[in-house]
Structure formats: structure tokens, C-alpha cells
Amino acid sequence: MNSQIMHLPKNCYSQKDMSSIDGAIIHFISAANVSPEDPFNLDSILWIFKEYKVSAHYLIDRDGIPIEIVPLPKAAYHAGKSRMNGRDRCNNWTIGIELMGGKDFDYTENQIATLKLMLAKMITEYRFPVENIQGHDYVRAEWNKFYPDKKGAKKYDPGQHFPWDEVRNSLAFVG
């Protein structure tokens, strides 16, 4: 698996290390709003991260090539108001993984293959359970249920096209 390193500017992520690495959150991103003729243009997607001062640790392009955009163990700004398995502030303890995609796009086989390999390696290295791999939609919904007076905007990623069963089944015997 070839990978690239293209770190975002330091104002897009915390300069503090995560308190621990105990999970991962899956996201999607495209540049459909700023570059509709080329929604998976890498430069446009990186511009979005920079413009909004948000990030993730990895971005997986449509060919399945992972790009490190925030160095571990720095905390990426990927989950915002988030809660998973009774723990808040997922930015402080989860790895953010963005897939080039969106609610109207299927993921590619290469993207899912790369993601499965990355997650297997993370589970082995950091020793977290498969249950600590969730989507942005899930961790935001959990936050909104637990903190109804501090609700955040609903999230939709990784979306209806994400193959949760396939990914989780591939990780069943890892660890």
C-alpha cells in the first residue's frame, strides 16, 4: 500500500497529543460544493480542510491511496461534538479517516480494501475493540442524545453507501 504525507497547516489540528488512541471515526469528503465538475480533486479537498480549519489523520483517495494529513499522535479536528461508547470528545482519543466520497457516491473497492488494512493495523497496534470504530453520523447522534441542550448539526458520513458489515467482518479476528 503506497502512502503519501501531505500535512495540513498546524492551525488545522491541535498541537497537543491525543490522550490515548482508542478508536477510529470514518468520514467522507468531497469538493462537490466548490468544484462540482471534479468533486474528488485533491487540491480542492485540501483547500476545504484549510479554509474551515478542520482535519483528519488520513484521507483515502479514490484509488485507495492513503494520505497522512495530520501526524499521529496529534489530535485532529474531525469529530467535533461527539460521543462513543460513553466517552465524549472523540478528537482526543480517535483517529479520523476521511474517504473521498459523499452521500451520492459509492466507495471504490480500492478505498475499502485500504481502509480495512489500515483499521486492522490500528487495532493491532493500539489494541482497541472493533466497537470503537464508528461513523461521524453515529458519534454525533450519540452526542445529541446525551446532550440535547448542546446539540450539534446532524452528520451523514460515512453514509448509506458505506459497507459496515464488510468492514467489521474483516476485522472480526484482528487484535
Side-chain angles (χ1 to χ4, degrees), residues 1-174:
M1 169 175 43
N2 292 330
S3 62
Q4 297 180 24
I5 296 175
M6 301 178 79
H7 289 160
L8 293 168
K10 291 183 178 185
N11 65 343
C12 293
Y13 59 93
S14 177
Q15 296 311 292
K16 295 181 181 178
D17 289 351
M18 291 188 281
S19 58
S20 59
I21 298 177
D22 295 327
I25 297 178
I26 313 301
H27 305 264
F28 64 51
I29 189 167
S30 80
N33 290 341
V34 296
S35 183
E37 70 289 343
D38 188 8
F40 303 122
N41 180 283
L42 178 59
D43 290 333
S44 296
I45 289 172
L46 293 174
W47 177 86
I48 292 168
F49 285 123
K50 293 171 189 173
E51 180 69 13
Y52 292 96
K53 296 177 179 64
V54 295
S55 57
H57 295 93
Y58 297 98
L59 170 65
I60 301 175
D61 76 9
R62 300 295 284 176
D63 292 325
I65 297 171
I67 304 164
E68 180 184 294
I69 55 177
V70 170
L72 285 171
K74 299 299 182 200
Y77 300 146
H78 66 98
K81 294 178 178 181
S82 55
R83 183 174 176 81
M84 183 194 314
N85 300 328
R87 291 176 70 182
D88 294 343
R89 296 174 186 84
C90 295
N91 286 346
N92 293 331
W93 58 276
T94 62
I95 296 171
I97 304 171
E98 296 271 0
L99 293 119
M100 286 186 181
K103 63 182 181 175
D104 299 323
F105 302 102
D106 287 325
Y107 294 103
T108 69
E109 288 181 27
N110 289 340
Q111 284 179 300
I112 299 305
T114 295
L115 178 65
K116 289 190 291 190
L117 287 171
M118 289 176 70
L119 291 172
K121 182 179 177 200
M122 289 172 190
I123 287 172
T124 301
E125 183 173 347
Y126 299 110
R127 300 295 207 192
F128 58 79
V130 174
E131 295 76 30
N132 282 8
I133 299 170
Q134 297 291 341
H136 197 190
D137 53 354
Y138 176 87
V139 299
R140 178 56 57 83
E142 289 298 301
W143 172 274
N144 287 344
K145 278 190 251 178
F146 199 77
Y147 299 105
D149 57 329
K150 299 179 185 178
K151 282 187 176 183
K154 185 175 180 173
K155 298 297 179 182
Y156 299 93
D157 50 321
Q160 65 183 354
H161 298 289
F162 189 78
W164 279 113
D165 288 342
E166 176 187 343
V167 171
R168 287 194 174 119
N169 288 341
S170 76
L171 301 171
F173 301 103
V174 176

